[in-house]
Structure formats: structure tokens, C-alpha cells
């Protein structure tokens, strides 16, 4: 059957997503040289495995054999659908009749390897009423279906099919009833499903559906979103997109609260095992990630997930993490599954809870944790979410004297996030740049080699004689070293002159090789977008002359060519246009070629070069007038174009900030470029006094209302409903 092969592929890909191994597009950095420990021999892991076996043995359903007549019936349906001889209306009738045949035998049919594929097709093609009827009828055995290798695909197909019907507002009440019937069964014995590799995956899909998040969201599937990594490194183009979740519908908040509170209620005694179990840890990560910015609920849930006693008796007011629990957390950070969970906790934790974790768990242990293959990712998350300059100062005191040791041990990710946090919080910026330079060059060495050593970071530190190390031609440039340079070029040019001098002093052939490397090209782009002097930028661009045509034929190189075009004067622009004109035929065959040719107006240059040159000069004049009216060279405008420093070079061209869209996946992929930022900036409304008054009036009305006592999230009570609440109290 056609569906069978498709389902098998989906299953294999799902297992890869659940594996939680560091892989391409994985969760953190330093994964190439130091993978997380997947076979930890600690007592916690052994205990978790034993506990998981107990849960699995509790769920031993006796599966009845499918009779030949039923197998033949579903086989005929599969053949009928494969032949494409059924119209849409007739297909819906067949799906409804076939699903009716499963009544009372949902578990046996859904867990049959062959028939389960047919059942998936039926659930994807049936009407909403038929789908909800199947879910209600199978609710009592839904956890067992979800924990089966074949049945898990059926359960997931049913949930995804539900999501497709949410475009119809009238369907919400019917779907909510079906979801609630499933959740009522799950919360009775949630640990069985949480600790099962198949059940865990289905449960995460169910939580996402109830919350209104797209069930295809990658970060809910065990992979760290590139958007999240970009946010940590200050590479996001807009602060308005801080929530990375894709909310596709309004969700079912009451059902979500009921399900999550039920899971946590039954998990209190076993939480220390669930923290270090791979499958259950993923469920907890998903649940916490879905509750981002719900501070009141998170203040109640996170301490419970960390194993704290929520009882107010014997607990100081305002204290969320007990001292003994803090010691246990510190010991568990080196476990692979728990370290992933702690990353999510640090990302979503309200500021008060983050501060308490920082002071009680991490303080005075940052360096030791940074050297661990799992805990170093937690330190990266801790640094990237530092709240203030005081915390940055404490982090600096512990890690700054050991920057060289961290780089030598392959923990360059920690150094990268330290630079990003320094730039974001505007704290210890000069000291960070100096300390990094000292880690790369000894006191008696010139700093002219800083940039090459960062480009080939591992190659340099793994060399036997660092004093005689030279450029490694043909070697792939180090991802983290290139990211460090990108972070460096965000600092003020006065602080990073050694780095600028080093990059611009490289031999022409080294500069060309850097531009050809995907990671190295990003470094050049970051430098050209910095506020370095225009003369320094042109010094680097000149070394690429004669290679712009070759670079433009590659996706990564085309962006570099565009940046160079924006940052140089009219003479160099003309040289770039001439080189691109020579390879126009080949460039048109590439994905990025048509856009680049249009952006640089190569056709205009080919047909009327003098007019093209005049247009470039006109842009310069317009920009100069703008600067004279609204700003000067000492203003905060970034010097990222050739017209930013009019006093250095004449004549210069003006360039209104260009926008573009990235179509390839580069080392820091997922970071949307200037076009998205530009589009969002245009949508910003500059409301007048009227809007302000309305906003103030709404605020005053809100403050005048009497405060109502909010029920705790873990009370388990559904808003507006009092049923089932007696089962959920902790």
C-alpha cells in the first residue's frame, strides 16, 4: 500500500527526532567536538531506567487477533483508495462506514501493523463527526494505542486530522469534547505514557494541539529551533518576534490546564526519575515551552518539576528553591536529559526564579560546569538569559580568567555566548575583547593573527606548536570561531581595532578563501555591516576584485557580493557590476542569480553604463543630504555602507539600506535577514494622542477593577467548569 511506505518513513524520521542526539541542526554548539553523554552511568539514570520498566510492565494489554474477514475488508478499502477510483463524496462515506467497523475493536485494529496504515488514511479523509466519534469510542484505550509502535502513528494522525478542522469555529466544541474524553483517561495513569518512547511523542502532540501551537513546530520535536539560537546570539532581526511558537489556532486552554495539572499531580513522587528519563524529559520540556510568558503558572510548575516541595509549611516566603534541592540540581546538570530540561527552564523562567537559580545553583560553579559535555549547554543558556549587568559581572569574574582554557577544551560555545551577553547587556565589552585577544595571542606576539586563528579555531588550538601555526589552506573554517568573529564585529569599532586590522591585513588569497567558505562569508558580511571605517571596509573589498563573478554563483557568496556592493564607492561598484555581467548567463541559472542581477541593476549597467553611474552618484547625494539634516558621522547610525563616512573618500555613492531574503541554510540558518525587519518596521503604527488616551483609559479602568483571587494552576480546576477538579488536587 502506498500509505505504508509513507508511514514507515514518518516513523523513522520521528525516531530520529526523539533521539535527542546532537546532530546537524541540533540543540546547541560544540556538538562536533564534544557530543552529549548518551550513556551516562550515574545512579539517577539507572534508577530512571528501572522506573521506566516498571511503568511499561504495568501496561500489558492483551491484543486479540484480527479475524480474516476484517483483514480482507480493510485490504479491499486500501486497494480501492490506491486505485483512485473513488470521488470525494463517496470516499467520505466509505471512511465513515469503515471507522464504524472499528467500534469496540479500536485497540486491535489500530495496533495491527498492516491495517493501521489503512486506518491512518481513513482518519485523514473522514468527516469531523466521524473522527470525533472514533476518538470518543477509543478514549479508554487511547494511551495503549499511543504506546504501540504502529498505534502511535494512528493516534498522531487522528490528532493532526483534528487540527485541520479547527479552521471552522463551529467545530471547537465538538473537538474539545473529544480531547477532554482522551485527557480524562490519560491523567489516571500518565506515567505509563510519559515514559514510553511512542506515547511520549503522541502526548507532546496532544499538548501542542490543546495549546493552539502547530503540531509540526520543530522545537517541540526535540530539535533546537534556529530562531531560538539566533535569539540567544542576538542575531534576531526584530524583538517583536520573541515567541518562536507558531500559534495556528486559539487552542483549548481549559483542556491543556486539565491535562498538564493531571500529569504533574501524579508525577510528584516520581519527578526525580522523570527528570533524567529521555522520554519524560521531552514531555516536560514541551509543556514548559508551551507556557512561555505565563509567569504565575511557571512559578508554580517549575519548582515542582525541579523536585521542590510546594507546601507552604516550613518554607520561607519568597523562596522557591530549597538549598538541598539546589544541591541535587547541581549534581544532575551533567546528565544529558536533565541538562536539556534545565535549558528550557532557564529560557522560560520568570526573572525572580531565574535569579534564585543563578544564585543558589550556578554561582561559583560556572567553570566546572562549562567543561562538562552536557552541562556546558546549560551554561550557554544561563549566560544568554542573564538579566542584568550585575549577573554579567559575576559570570565574568568566574569565566574571564579561563577563556583560553575553555577554547583549548573545545568549549568555544560558552565563549560565544559570553560575548553575546556582554554586547546585549552593554557590560564588560572592552574587557571581553581584550581577554579574547589575550587568549589567542601571547604577550610577546603581534595580534595580526587573531582573525585567522579564530577562523580555524580548532586547527590552531590542536596544533602542537602554536607559535609556528600558519593558515590552513583548504580546511573547513570553524563554525564557532566564525560566530565569535561575528559577535566581535557588533561591538564599537574603537574596542575591536586589533580584530579589524587582522581581518583586513590578510593576504588576498586568504580573503578570497574566507569569502568562499559559508561560515567565513558570514564573518566578512558582519564586518561590512559593522561601524568600522569605510576605508577599512574598502581595503578588504579590493582584495576580492576579480572574484566577484565566481562568488556570486554560490548562494553564500552572493550575499557577500551584495554586501560588498553596498559598502564600496562608485568605482568599485562599477568593477563588481562588470564582473557580474560576464557571468550573467550562468548567474541566471542559479536560485539567487535573478534577484542579485535585479538588485544591482546589471541590465541597466549593460545597456546604459553612464546613466547607471549617475544613479549611483545620485544616491550618494541623497544620503549626504539626509545625514546633514538628521545626523552626523558621530551619530549612532551604523557605518555599514560606503556613504557612512563621507569625509574619508570622495566621491562616494549613497545606498539606502538594502533588503534581501535568505534562501539557503547557512551555519546560522533560520536567522531572517533585513527584508523581514524592513517589512515589520513599515507596519509600526505611529499613533497620535487619541490612541494614547485610549490606552491610558484602558489602563486606568483595569486598575480601578477590584482584584480577584486567582486559583492556582495546579489546583486542576478548569476555568468555568468544576468537574473532575476533585481528582487533580496535589
Amino acid at each position: 500500500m502506498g500509505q505504508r511506505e509513507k508511514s514507515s518513513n514518518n516513523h523513522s524520521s520521528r525516531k530520529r527526532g526523539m533521539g535527542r542526539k546532537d546532530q546537524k541542526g541540533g540543540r546547541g554548539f560544540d556538538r562536533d567536538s564534544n557530543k552529549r553523554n548518551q550513556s551516562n552511568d550515574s545512579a539517577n539514570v539507572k534508577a530512571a531506567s528501572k522506573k521506566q520498566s516498571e511503568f511499561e510492565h504495568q501496561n500489558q494489554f492483551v491484543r486479540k487477533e484480527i479475524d480474516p474477514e476484517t483483514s480482507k475488508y480493510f485490504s479491499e478499502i486500501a486497494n480501492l483508495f490506491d486505485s483512485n477510483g473513488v470521488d470525494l463524496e463517496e470516499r467520505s462515506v466509505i471512511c465513515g462506514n469503515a471507522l464504524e467497523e472499528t467500534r469496540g475493536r479500536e485497540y486491535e485494529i489500530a495496533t495491527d501493523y498492516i491495517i493501521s496504515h489503512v486506518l491512518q488514511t481513513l482518519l485523514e479523509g473522514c468527516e469531523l463527526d466521524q473522527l470525533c466519534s472514533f476518538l470518543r469510542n477509543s478514549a479508554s484505550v487511547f494511551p495503549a494505542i499511543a504506546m504501540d509502535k504502529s498505534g502511535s502513528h494512528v493516534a498522531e494522525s487522528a490528532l493532526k486530522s483534528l487540527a485541520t478542522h479547527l479552521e471552522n469555529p463551529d467545530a471547537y466544541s465538538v473537538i474539545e469534547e473529544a480531547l477532554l474524553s482522551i485527557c480524562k483517561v490519560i491523567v489516571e495513569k500518565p506515567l505509563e505514557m510519559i515514559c514510553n518512547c511512542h506515547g511520549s511523542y503522541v502526548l507532546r502532540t496532544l499538548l501542542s494541539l490543546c495549546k493552539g501551537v502547530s503540531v509540526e513546530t520543530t522545537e517541540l520535536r526535540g530539535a533546537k529551533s534556529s530562531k531560538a539560537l539566533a535569539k540567544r546570539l542576538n542575531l534576531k532581526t526584530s524583538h517583536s518576534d520573541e515567541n518562536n511558537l507558531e500559534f495556528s489556532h486559539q487552542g483549548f486552554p481549559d483542556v491543556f490546564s486539565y491535562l498538564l495539572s493531571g500529569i504533574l499531580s501524579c508525577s510528584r513522587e516520581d519527578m526525580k526519575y522523570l527528570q533524567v528519563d529521555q522520554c519524560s524529559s521531552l514531555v516536560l520540556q514541551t509543556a514548559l515551552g508551551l507556557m512561555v510568558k505565563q509567569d504565575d503558572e511557571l512559578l508554580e510548575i517549575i519548582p515542582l518539576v525541579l523536585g521542590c516541595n510546594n507546601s507552604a509549611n516550613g518554607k520561607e516566603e519568597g523562596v522557591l528553591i530549597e538549598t538541598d534541592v539546589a544541591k541535587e540540581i547541581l549534581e544532575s546538570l551533567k546528565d544529558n536529559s536533565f541538562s536539556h530540561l534545565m535549558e528550557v527552564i532557564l529560557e522560560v523562567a520568570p526573572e525572580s526564579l531565574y535569579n534564585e537559580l543563578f544564585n543558589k545553583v550556578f554561582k561559583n560553579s560556572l567553570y566546572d560546569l562549562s567543561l562538562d559535555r552536557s552541562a556546558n549547554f546549560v551554561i550557554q543558556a544561563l549566560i544568554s538569559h542573564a538579566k542584568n549587568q550585575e549577573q554579567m559581572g559575576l559570570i565574568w569574574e568566574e569565566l574571564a580568567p579561563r577563556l583560553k582554557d575553555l577554547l583549548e577544551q573545545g568549549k568555544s560555545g560558552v565563549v560565544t555566548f559570553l560575548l553575546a551577553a556582554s554586547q546585549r547587556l552593554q557590560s564588560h565589552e572592552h574587557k571581553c575583547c581584550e581577554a579574547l585577544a589575550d587568549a589567542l595571542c601571547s604577550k610577546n606576539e603581534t595580534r595580526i593573527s587573531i582573525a585567522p586563528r579564530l577562523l580555524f579555531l580548532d586547527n590552531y588550538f590542536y596544533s602542537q606548536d602554536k607559535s609556528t601555526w600558519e593558515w590552513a589552506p583548504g580546511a573547513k573554517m570553524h563554525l564557532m570561531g566564525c560566530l565569535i568573529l561575528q559577535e566581535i564585529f557588533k561591538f564599537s569599532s574603537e574596542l575591536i581595532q586589533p580584530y579589524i586590522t587582522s581581518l583586513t591585513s590578510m593576504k588576498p588569497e586568504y580573503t578570497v578563501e574566507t569569502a568562499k567558505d559559508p561560515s567565513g562569508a558570514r564573518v566578512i558580511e558582519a564586518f561590512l555591516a559593522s561601524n568600522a571605517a569605510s576605508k577599512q571596509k574598502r581595503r578588504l573589498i579590493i582584495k576580492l576584485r576579480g572574484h566577484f563573478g565566481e562568488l556570486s554563483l554560490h548562494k553564500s557568496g552572493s550575499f557577500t557580493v551584495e554586501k560588498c556592493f553596498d559598502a564600496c564607492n562608485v568605482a568599485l561598484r562599477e568593477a563588481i557590476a562588470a564582473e557580474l555581467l560576464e557571468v550573467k548567463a550562468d548567474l541566471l541559472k542559479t536560485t539567487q542569480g535573478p534577484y542579485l542581477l535585479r538588485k544591482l541593476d546589471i541590465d541597466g549597467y549593460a545597456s546604459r553604463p553612464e546613466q547607471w553611474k549617475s544613479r549611483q552618484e545620485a544616491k550618494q547625494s541623497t544620503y549626504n543630504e539626509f545625514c546633514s539634516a538628521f545626523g552626523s558621522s558621530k551619530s549612532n547610525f551604523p557605518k555599514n555602507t560606503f556613504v557612512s563616512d563621507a569625509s574619508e573618500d570622495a566621491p562616494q555613492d549613497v545606498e539606502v539600506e538594502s533588503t534581501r531574503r535568505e534562501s539557503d541554510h547557512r551555519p546560522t540558518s533560520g536567522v531572517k535577514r533585513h527584508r523581514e525587519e524592513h517589512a515589520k518596521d513599515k507596519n509600526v503604527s505611529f499613533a497620535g494622542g487619541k490612541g494614547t488616551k485610549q490606552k491610558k483609559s484602558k489602563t486606568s479602568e483595569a486598575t480601578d477593577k477590584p482584584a480577584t483571587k486567582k486559583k492556582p494552576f495546579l489546583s486542576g480546576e478548569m476555568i468555568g467548569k468544576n468537574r473532575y477538579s476533585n481528582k487533580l488536587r496535589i
Side-chain angles (χ1 to χ4, degrees):
M1 286 174 287
Q3 274 289 51
R4 189 179 310 169
E5 182 178 352
K6 178 180 178 182
S7 180
S8 299
N9 291 335
N10 289 341
H11 180 64
S12 62
S13 64
R14 184 181 69 177
K15 289 183 71 177
R16 288 194 297 270
M18 291 171 55
R20 303 293 292 159
K21 294 181 180 179
D22 293 305
Q23 54 189 345
K24 187 175 182 179
R27 290 177 41 88
F29 297 111
D30 298 336
R31 62 178 181 271
D32 295 330
S33 57
N34 293 282
K35 294 184 178 180
R36 295 210 185 189
N37 185 9
Q38 298 292 336
S39 55
N40 198 315
D41 294 327
S42 66
N44 286 339
V45 175
K46 290 182 179 179
S49 301
K50 181 179 178 181
K51 202 74 177 179
Q52 180 178 351
S53 299
E54 292 178 8
F55 296 147
E56 290 177 348
H57 285 308
Q58 293 173 7
N59 180 50
Q60 296 295 335
F61 273 75
V62 179
R63 183 178 174 277
K64 299 178 182 178
E65 187 177 351
I66 301 295
D67 60 89
E69 185 178 348
T70 301
S71 298
K72 182 180 178 182
Y73 173 72
F74 282 98
S75 178
E76 290 175 351
I77 292 176
N79 294 332
L80 186 61
F81 286 166
D82 289 343
S83 65
N84 295 323
V86 184
D87 59 31
L88 188 61
E89 184 176 351
E90 188 178 0
R91 186 185 183 95
S92 177
V93 175
I94 294 174
C95 289
N97 293 336
L99 289 176
E100 190 64 27
E101 287 293 323
T102 65
R103 186 184 292 269
R105 298 181 294 171
E106 291 87 0
Y107 175 73
E108 288 75 18
I109 293 175
T111 56
D112 183 88
Y113 177 75
I114 296 177
I115 301 180
S116 63
H117 296 91
V118 185
L119 187 54
Q120 282 183 258
T121 306
L122 297 174
L123 292 171
E124 292 167 358
C126 67
E127 297 293 334
L128 176 61
D129 293 339
Q130 300 164 348
L131 176 61
C132 291
S133 176
F134 172 83
L135 288 172
R136 288 192 297 269
N137 295 334
S138 63
S140 60
V141 293
F142 185 86
I145 292 174
M147 288 184 282
D148 181 79
K149 183 176 181 179
S150 298
S152 60
H153 292 289
V154 175
E156 190 174 355
S157 294
L159 295 177
K160 289 184 177 180
S161 184
L162 277 180
T164 62
H165 291 281
L166 288 170
E167 297 177 359
N168 179 12
D170 298 331
Y172 268 81
S173 58
V174 180
I175 296 176
E176 183 177 26
E177 183 181 355
L179 291 175
L180 187 58
S181 64
I182 295 172
C183 294
K184 287 168 60 179
V185 178
I186 293 176
V187 297
E188 291 179 1
K189 292 183 179 180
L191 299 181
E192 299 175 11
M193 194 169 176
I194 291 176
C195 294
N196 179 275
C197 62
H198 307 297
S200 167
Y201 191 86
V202 175
L203 187 54
R204 282 178 276 151
T205 301
L206 179 59
L207 286 167
S208 303
L209 177 62
C210 292
K211 191 62 175 177
V213 174
S214 171
V215 294
E216 301 295 341
T217 305
T218 56
E219 48 262 48
L220 302 179
R221 294 291 173 255
K224 173 59 69 177
S225 166
S226 57
K227 289 183 180 180
L229 295 177
K231 178 182 176 182
R232 288 188 183 184
L233 289 173
N234 306 335
L235 295 174
K236 289 177 69 68
T237 56
S238 173
H239 294 288
S240 62
D241 187 28
E242 291 184 357
N243 194 344
N244 297 317
L245 298 178
E246 300 175 8
F247 288 92
S248 56
H249 54 87
Q250 66 185 39
F252 306 92
D254 293 340
V255 179
F256 176 83
S257 300
Y258 173 76
L259 176 60
L260 183 55
S261 60
I263 291 173
L264 295 175
S265 299
C266 299
S267 305
R268 176 188 291 277
E269 295 180 358
D270 301 300
M271 190 58 70
K272 64 179 180 180
Y273 304 108
L274 301 181
Q275 293 171 350
V276 296
D277 177 71
Q278 185 180 33
C279 299
S280 56
S281 176
L282 284 170
V283 174
L284 296 174
Q285 292 171 48
T286 298
L288 292 172
L290 290 170
M291 299 193 68
V292 62
K293 295 185 179 180
Q294 295 181 234
D295 289 359
D296 293 338
E297 290 81 1
L298 287 171
L299 286 173
E300 197 172 353
I301 292 174
I302 292 178
L304 177 60
V305 171
L306 291 175
C308 298
N309 183 8
N310 276 7
S311 174
N313 297 330
K315 188 172 182 178
E316 296 181 27
E317 185 178 355
V319 176
L320 300 170
I321 308 296
E322 296 94 342
T323 304
D324 56 340
V325 175
K327 294 180 181 178
E328 293 178 1
I329 294 173
L330 183 62
E331 295 173 357
S332 301
L333 286 174
K334 296 182 180 181
D335 174 80
N336 180 61
S337 298
F338 186 78
S339 65
H340 283 286
L341 177 61
M342 182 55 70
E343 280 189 68
V344 178
I345 289 175
L346 291 172
E347 184 174 348
V348 304
E351 185 171 353
S352 59
L353 181 56
Y354 175 94
N355 294 339
E356 197 165 341
L357 286 169
F358 184 95
N359 292 320
K360 290 186 176 181
V361 177
F362 295 99
K363 192 175 179 180
N364 300 324
S365 301
L366 295 180
Y367 178 70
D368 291 337
L369 293 173
S370 296
L371 295 181
D372 183 78
R373 63 177 62 189
S374 293
N376 87 89
F377 294 95
V378 182
I379 299 303
Q380 293 176 25
L382 179 80
I383 295 173
S384 66
H385 293 94
K387 306 300 181 183
N388 50 55
Q389 293 184 351
E390 181 182 356
Q391 289 176 351
M392 180 62 200
L394 295 173
I395 294 171
W396 170 259
E397 290 177 4
E398 289 193 48
L399 296 182
R402 304 291 188 90
L403 285 189
K404 185 175 182 179
D405 296 334
L406 290 172
L407 294 174
E408 288 178 337
Q409 294 294 324
K411 298 302 182 287
S412 51
V414 176
V415 179
T416 307
F417 282 103
L418 182 64
L419 290 169
S422 173
Q423 193 267 341
R424 174 174 59 88
L425 297 172
Q426 297 182 353
S427 174
H428 296 77
E429 296 168 284
H430 179 66
K431 291 181 178 180
C432 275
C433 297
E434 285 293 319
L436 179 61
D438 292 339
L440 293 164
C441 301
S442 59
K443 294 182 179 180
N444 57 349
E445 278 186 305
T446 175
R447 296 189 173 184
I448 202 69
S449 301
I450 292 180
R453 290 178 180 180
L454 281 171
L455 291 173
F456 297 98
L457 190 61
D458 276 359
N459 188 291
Y460 168 70
F461 275 107
Y462 292 161
S463 62
Q464 294 182 350
D465 188 2
K466 296 181 178 60
S467 61
T468 60
W469 181 88
E470 295 181 355
W471 184 274
K476 185 178 180 180
M477 294 185 177
H478 192 253
L479 172 61
M480 291 311 303
C482 292
L483 281 172
I484 288 176
L485 277 173
Q486 291 179 53
E487 291 297 328
I488 284 292
F489 290 129
K490 292 178 185 177
F491 290 98
S492 172
S493 60
E494 290 79 9
L495 305 178
I496 57 173
Q497 283 303 315
Y499 299 89
I500 295 175
T501 303
S502 177
L503 185 67
T504 56
S505 299
M506 292 193 309
K507 296 179 180 180
E509 58 268 28
Y510 295 167
T511 304
V512 173
E513 186 176 345
T514 303
K516 290 181 179 179
D517 186 272
S519 301
R522 285 297 184 106
V523 173
I524 292 179
E525 293 173 35
F527 168 68
L528 294 176
S530 69
N531 65 346
S534 300
K535 184 183 295 184
Q536 293 172 317
K537 295 178 182 180
R538 286 194 296 275
R539 184 181 177 186
L540 181 141
I541 294 171
I542 290 173
K543 297 179 181 181
L544 296 175
R545 289 192 68 168
H547 298 275
F548 290 113
E550 179 186 1
L551 291 173
S552 66
L553 295 176
H554 301 279
K555 285 184 178 180
S556 59
S558 66
F559 294 117
T560 307
V561 171
E562 185 183 346
K563 279 288 185 182
C564 290
F565 188 86
D566 294 341
C568 61
N569 55 26
V570 176
L572 282 175
R573 281 191 169 199
E574 196 170 2
I576 294 174
E579 291 189 38
L580 265 59
L581 185 59
E582 292 179 2
V583 296
K584 178 181 176 181
D586 294 329
L587 201 53
L588 286 171
K589 299 176 184 178
T590 65
T591 305
Q592 72 283 357
Y595 166 76
L596 186 62
L597 291 171
R598 185 172 60 255
K599 167 69 170 60
L600 274 56
D601 191 18
I602 301 303
D603 288 338
Y605 171 78
S607 58
R608 297 179 179 179
E610 292 301 323
Q611 291 187 7
W612 180 89
K613 187 175 180 179
S614 298
R615 285 195 296 271
Q616 304 303 320
E617 293 172 348
K619 290 180 182 180
Q620 174 187 352
S621 176
T622 303
Y623 188 88
N624 288 340
E625 291 177 3
F626 175 84
C627 287
S628 62
F630 299 103
S632 66
S633 60
K634 295 182 181 181
S635 66
N636 292 327
F637 291 110
K639 296 182 180 180
N640 59 350
T641 64
F642 70 96
V643 292
S644 300
D645 193 354
S647 62
E648 286 192 18
D649 225 271
Q652 293 176 337
D653 296 1
V654 85
E655 167 64 12
V656 180
E657 183 181 0
S658 62
T659 62
R660 72 183 181 188
R661 189 176 193 174
E662 225 172 359
S663 59
D664 63 327
H665 296 286
R666 313 250 313 262
T668 52
S669 62
V671 186
K672 295 186 179 177
R673 291 264 182 130
H674 305 302
R675 178 172 291 180
E676 181 182 353
E677 179 182 1
H678 217 55
K680 289 181 178 179
D681 290 343
K682 291 181 179 179
N683 292 330
V684 176
S685 59
F686 298 91
K690 184 177 180 181
T692 307
K693 290 179 181 179
Q694 290 177 351
K695 185 174 181 181
K696 287 182 178 180
S697 63
K698 289 182 180 180
T699 307
S700 61
E701 289 175 7
T703 53
D704 292 340
K705 290 182 180 180
T708 56
K709 188 175 181 180
K710 187 175 181 180
K711 294 181 180 179
F713 177 82
L714 294 178
S715 68
E717 296 187 13
M718 297 176 63
I719 300 174
K721 302 177 184 180
N722 56 9
R723 53 182 173 178
Y724 320 122
S725 59
N726 59 331
K727 297 181 181 180
L728 300 172
R729 296 193 179 277
I730 299 180

